[in-house]
Amino acid sequence: MKTKSFPYRICTALSATALLLASCEREVNFDGQLPDAKIVINCFVEADSLISAYVSRSWNLSEDGPRALTDADVSLHVNDALQPPMQPVDSLPGQNSGYSHVGQTYLSRSVAREGDRIRITVRKDGYPEASAETVVPGKAVILSIDTTRFKEQYASDAMRFLIRFSDLHAGERDYYRLVVTHQYSYDSVARTGAVVFNYGQDAALNEGFRDATGGALDTEGENRYGIFTDDLFDGREYTLNIHFRPRYSGEDSGEYMWDSETGELISFGRITYSRYIFRLVTLSPSAYQYLKTRTHYGGDVFTEPSAIYTNITGGLGIMGSFQTDEKEIEN
């Protein structure tokens, strides 16, 4: 029996905006001035981890993509103290060899700590100097996770998760992100995937994410990264309210093989292990602004595209920092 393996999904969609996406083509000769290339720094510093950065240069439409800067001078300051130069490496420790990113990876020997002020400066002949800095935020701790089963619309089983934590600072704006990951296995195959959760009943996750139609399209504000601030609970405890349909040990995997000879779908089998990881990420202000502009960029056909936030002086890209607390639930 010959089989081809692929995740099988059946869905139907009806979009009222399809006509808005129709387009035409016309060739235009460009005789203007192309902008000078700039250094691009992409760096997210995680507390208690080695500091690394991706360095490339900007590119224009006459090129086929970004270009890594493999021989740049990348200097690092931690709390104003100069550290040994960051060195180019093929990949980060523990990183999958198939991991894809834009730019040359530069790695330091310095470990970031909570409260550290970290500054990276990149120099390369022929380009303006580029630099940025970030302060590693503290950690907000998940105090508890309570669950309740209920029936969603159309009688679908769902689970509500109430995630309680305490705000970091009173009188100071703090920035957060909620990430939920599902780890499961079936037929000796381990899987990991991000969970798209419903946050429609949570005030903090909805704050600042209202679509331009006032809710007419039921887009829930397009908070794709699960980011929020403490504007509604400054200095107090808060309970996030989200829900989704969980996958349980013993139930069908929902993924199939296609038998090319019989034309039948054959299940991969039942889930043998299932757990959910809830991560509460404390973000630096720059990391939050970057994710927020990424959320708004091109997400709503009724709004103007917004510029992606950058805090790189003399160049492009983003430098931010974060710290994570997590709890697991097995089911």
Side-chain angles (χ1 to χ4, degrees):
M1 178 178 65
K2 297 180 180 178
T3 61
K4 294 182 180 179
S5 172
F6 62 93
Y8 181 75
R9 299 287 186 270
I10 299 177
C11 64
T12 59
L14 179 62
S15 172
T17 62
L19 292 178
L20 297 176
L21 304 180
S23 63
C24 61
E25 292 185 5
R26 181 181 178 184
E27 187 173 309
V28 177
N29 293 323
F30 177 75
D31 57 1
Q33 179 82 26
L34 291 174
D36 293 333
K38 294 183 177 182
I39 292 173
V40 180
I41 303 173
N42 286 299
C43 173
F44 281 99
V45 178
E46 182 175 9
D48 302 321
S49 299
L50 291 173
I51 300 169
S52 63
Y54 300 122
V55 179
S56 60
R57 68 163 175 82
S58 60
W59 56 287
N60 57 59
L61 295 179
S62 67
E63 299 175 301
D64 58 1
R67 297 290 189 274
L69 295 182
T70 57
D71 55 352
D73 175 15
V74 183
S75 63
L76 171 68
H77 286 79
V78 178
N79 300 321
D80 295 327
L82 180 63
Q83 307 297 306
M86 299 177 68
Q87 299 297 323
V89 295
D90 292 334
S91 62
L92 297 177
Q95 189 179 84
N96 189 302
S97 60
Y99 181 80
S100 177
H101 59 81
V102 175
Q104 171 66 50
T105 305
Y106 286 82
L107 181 65
S108 76
R109 291 180 287 176
S110 302
V111 174
R113 304 298 183 190
E114 180 179 324
D116 281 350
R117 185 172 68 256
I118 298 169
R119 182 175 183 83
I120 289 178
T121 304
V122 180
R123 301 176 180 88
K124 168 74 174 175
D125 290 342
Y127 301 89
E129 177 181 294
S131 63
E133 70 176 34
T134 185
V135 176
V136 181
K139 178 192 288 187
V141 177
I142 298 175
L143 302 175
S144 65
I145 301 178
D146 295 323
T147 61
T148 304
R149 292 188 183 185
F150 70 100
K151 289 286 188 181
E152 267 192 313
Q153 191 177 13
Y154 309 117
S156 174
D157 289 324
M159 182 82 77
R160 188 175 307 282
F161 297 86
L162 302 177
I163 305 156
R164 184 170 64 92
F165 70 100
S166 184
D167 186 35
L168 270 180
H169 307 102
E172 181 179 335
R173 199 181 198 204
D174 295 304
Y175 305 86
Y176 301 103
R177 181 185 184 190
L178 178 65
V179 179
V180 184
T181 304
H182 186 207
Q183 293 183 347
Y184 61 104
S185 61
Y186 54 83
D187 193 25
S188 300
V189 178
R191 302 281 186 179
T192 300
V195 174
V196 178
F197 52 81
N198 187 305
Y199 57 86
Q201 296 183 1
D202 188 89
L205 285 165
N206 275 291
E207 183 72 11
F209 289 92
R210 308 296 182 185
D211 66 80
T213 66
L217 294 183
D218 194 26
T219 63
E220 291 189 336
E222 297 294 340
N223 189 352
R224 290 180 291 165
Y225 296 103
I227 57 177
F228 59 100
T229 72
D230 64 352
D231 289 353
L232 300 179
F233 54 90
D234 181 34
R236 306 190 306 273
E237 288 187 4
Y238 185 75
T239 301
L240 293 164
N241 182 347
I242 66 169
H243 70 268
F244 56 87
R245 186 199 178 282
R247 309 284 299 279
Y248 298 97
S249 297
E251 74 173 47
D252 190 89
S253 67
E255 298 186 9
Y256 302 85
M257 292 183 295
W258 177 265
D259 186 340
S260 59
E261 293 182 351
T262 66
E264 296 179 349
L265 293 172
I266 304 174
S267 173
F268 272 120
R270 296 190 176 277
I271 295 175
T272 56
Y273 173 78
S274 177
R275 71 169 179 172
Y276 288 89
I277 302 173
F278 295 79
R279 293 184 173 93
L280 180 63
V281 185
T282 310
L283 301 169
S284 66
S286 58
Y288 173 84
Q289 292 298 334
Y290 172 76
L291 291 175
K292 188 167 186 178
T293 55
R294 281 288 303 269
T295 296
H296 291 320
Y297 185 79
D300 189 339
V301 296
F302 294 97
T303 60
E304 292 289 336
S306 59
I308 300 298
Y309 174 84
T310 179
N311 62 342
I312 308 298
T313 301
L316 300 170
I318 181 66
M319 183 173 183
S321 52
F322 65 98
Q323 191 163 184
T324 303
D325 187 46
E326 67 179 48
K327 284 189 180 297
E328 302 175 2
I329 293 180
E330 292 191 17
N331 56 333

